[in-house]
Amino acid sequence: MDGFVIAVDRGRYTCVLAGAEHGVVGAELPTVTAMRARELGRKSVVVGDRVNLVGDTSGAEGALARIVRITERRSVLRRTADDDETTAEGRLERVVVANADQMVIVSALADPPPRTGFIDRCLVAAYDADVEPLLCLTKADLAGPEEVLGYYTELELPYVLNRPDSDLDALRALLAGRVSVLVGHSGVGKSTLVNRLVPEAARAVGVVSAIGRGRHTSTSAVALRLPPIHGIDTDPGWIIDTPGIRSFGLAHVSADSLLHGFPDLVEGTVDCPPNCPHTAEEADCGLDAWVAAGKADPRRLASYRRLLASRAGEGDQRGEIDQRGPGEGDRRGPDE
């Protein structure tokens, strides 16, 4: 039987069978509990994986199926605990989710202020994973989006604005038919957003993690089926909540690929010398002239070079200057 992994907890995997994933939603979604078969070896199974199941797939209490195969992943979102691949944390690569179509980067416009350093990292991770990014700006009743959107104006980054009293129609339309992974710092309103998108979220999490005695830890991801859109007979999609992701170490991303997270700077490297490191110390780097000519925001170049330095293990990541929002400096680590 073909299955879709929606939760992982201490060696047990909650799956929905193919076909059922497009059926009922919330806590009533029929699930199958499975374990990894020995023949999988060291291959990890993560939320979002499409798998093949054998054994008892009835979903009855106490039933246990086996995952015998992981189908080829169309996208893999990864992170490391550190940027520097020479460190133990940098070598420890984790697959966050598989087969996501879209990364929804949730950022508040105020309380707390937007953190563009974190957003930049998410964009690098999304582009590296071949996942489309979507910026979801919350608390739009407290501050306007102009400065944040201005910072990303050259990227034509898709975005939605949310207020506590606004409907979620625009966001729902962008989530429909897709598997979307939500990332964001605590306090930005991500949990509130999840609960508004899936009113049954708390009960659904309790069911899919029943194998872990009903707990949903702060480090576990869970896929939630979106309810149908009223009057529209289409696949409403899935969201994957990742409450444990508060940073993206990028040691798994090569220095060349890191630039792809800054598409507004790519054209500026055309006049760079061969093997240009693009650092501030490289006198002939074309990026400085590109920014000086007004073709990119200097803050974007500064952010890119901070990531380059961090990846090279230079400086104290925790002590680097990052931005609360465009133009407003603050002392904190690049992920915080």
Side-chain angles (χ1 to χ4, degrees):
M1 302 287 289
D2 295 332
F4 174 57
V5 179
I6 62 172
V8 177
D9 190 3
R10 295 182 292 184
R12 293 293 182 266
Y13 304 86
T14 306
C15 310
V16 293
L17 298 180
E21 62 184 287
H22 301 300
V24 297
V25 300
E28 297 178 2
L29 188 68
T31 61
V32 173
T33 301
M35 60 182 293
R36 283 167 16 95
R38 185 174 300 175
E39 51 263 42
L40 286 180
R42 298 179 63 87
K43 291 182 180 178
S44 63
V45 180
V46 300
V47 170
D49 267 328
R50 306 281 175 170
V51 297
N52 296 150
L53 299 162
V54 300
D56 191 341
T57 59
S58 66
E61 184 176 356
L64 189 63
R66 287 188 301 130
I67 297 174
V68 295
R69 187 178 298 110
I70 305 169
T71 63
E72 184 177 356
R73 294 164 171 167
R74 66 175 184 271
S75 70
V76 181
L77 181 62
R78 299 180 173 91
R79 71 183 180 107
T80 54
D82 192 2
D83 288 335
D84 186 356
E85 62 183 0
T86 65
T87 66
E89 293 82 2
R91 289 191 296 270
L92 184 59
E93 181 179 313
R94 289 186 174 91
V95 175
V96 180
V97 296
N99 299 315
D101 304 302
Q102 183 171 240
M103 177 194 286
V104 181
I105 307 166
V106 184
S107 175
L109 288 169
D111 190 29
R115 296 168 181 178
T116 52
F118 176 75
I119 296 173
D120 286 346
R121 284 172 171 270
C122 289
L123 289 174
V124 170
Y127 291 134
D128 180 69
D130 197 22
V131 173
E132 295 181 17
L134 171 65
L135 184 58
C136 180
L137 298 172
T138 62
K139 305 186 183 181
D141 56 317
L142 301 180
E146 293 78 16
E147 289 192 6
V148 175
L149 297 181
Y151 179 75
Y152 292 106
T153 187
E154 298 298 328
L155 274 65
E156 298 182 357
L157 181 64
Y159 71 92
V160 290
L161 294 176
N162 285 308
R163 298 174 176 83
D165 58 348
S166 63
D167 61 49
L168 298 177
D169 292 349
L171 179 58
R172 285 299 311 270
L174 294 169
L175 298 177
R178 293 180 155 195
V179 176
S180 302
V181 53
L182 275 63
V183 299
H185 279 287
S186 60
V188 299
K190 183 169 66 67
S191 296
T192 299
L193 186 64
V194 168
N195 288 327
R196 289 188 65 195
L197 287 168
V198 187
E200 298 282 351
R203 192 155 62 96
V205 168
V207 169
V208 299
S209 61
I211 51 178
R213 294 178 177 83
R215 68 177 180 90
H216 177 46
T217 70
S218 60
T219 58
S220 59
V222 61
L224 299 167
R225 179 71 170 158
L226 288 165
I229 301 175
H230 181 70
I232 301 178
D233 188 21
T234 58
D235 175 15
W238 287 80
I239 56 172
I240 299 178
D241 187 18
T242 56
I245 296 182
R246 293 170 184 161
S247 65
F248 269 100
L250 299 173
H252 62 287
V253 180
S254 69
D256 289 338
S257 296
L258 192 67
L259 185 62
H260 295 158
F262 297 80
D264 47 331
L265 300 178
V266 172
E267 193 175 343
T269 64
V270 171
D271 295 327
C272 285
N275 301 316
C276 178
H278 306 311
T279 61
E281 292 73 26
E282 176 54 58
D284 296 325
C285 180
L287 289 175
D288 295 284
W290 182 258
V291 168
K295 296 180 179 179
D297 192 314
R299 295 168 299 181
R300 293 279 293 159
L301 177 57
S303 179
Y304 170 59
R305 284 177 169 165
R306 277 199 304 272
L307 290 180
L308 281 176
S310 181
R311 194 182 183 284
E314 299 172 5
D316 179 4
Q317 291 188 54
R318 290 291 181 185
E320 290 189 9
I321 296 177
D322 189 30
Q323 296 168 312
R324 284 182 179 270
E328 185 180 353
D330 182 32
R331 298 291 296 183
R332 65 159 59 83
D335 296 346
E336 296 181 356

